[in-house]
Amino acid sequence: MTPKFTHSEANHTKPVYHDPWAKREAWRRHSFFVKTNSVRSIFPGLGLATVAFAAYCGYEAIFLKDKKHH
């Protein structure tokens, strides 16, 4: 059975924090304005392409050595 509190007792159990400017500052935390999300959306496959290119360069340097290279 859950204890029943009066309205005044329920308010004292949780701290109440009220920021009057929270609505006006919420746009700063929106995903559209976050720098990392905007960079990722500009170059959507850059991370995967960089890893693939580095793997290819490593494979070429180790396994595809040309004996007749000047």
Side-chain angles (χ1 to χ4, degrees):
M1 194 161 195
T2 59
K4 295 185 179 186
F5 298 108
T6 62
H7 182 67
S8 61
E9 291 174 343
N11 286 340
H12 292 292
T13 58
K14 296 180 191 177
V16 177
Y17 302 106
H18 178 69
D19 184 11
W21 293 97
K23 287 183 181 179
R24 292 168 184 86
E25 295 293 323
W27 67 271
R28 295 179 191 266
R29 292 180 295 276
H30 192 272
S31 64
F32 183 77
F33 295 106
V34 178
K35 290 181 183 180
T36 56
N37 285 343
S38 64
V39 171
R40 287 181 188 167
S41 65
I42 291 172
F43 305 111
L46 183 63
L48 180 61
T50 304
V51 171
F53 180 71
Y56 173 74
C57 289
Y59 174 78
E60 183 181 23
I62 295 171
F63 296 110
L64 300 178
K65 292 183 179 180
D66 189 13
K67 304 286 186 203
K68 298 179 183 178
H69 194 271
H70 34 110

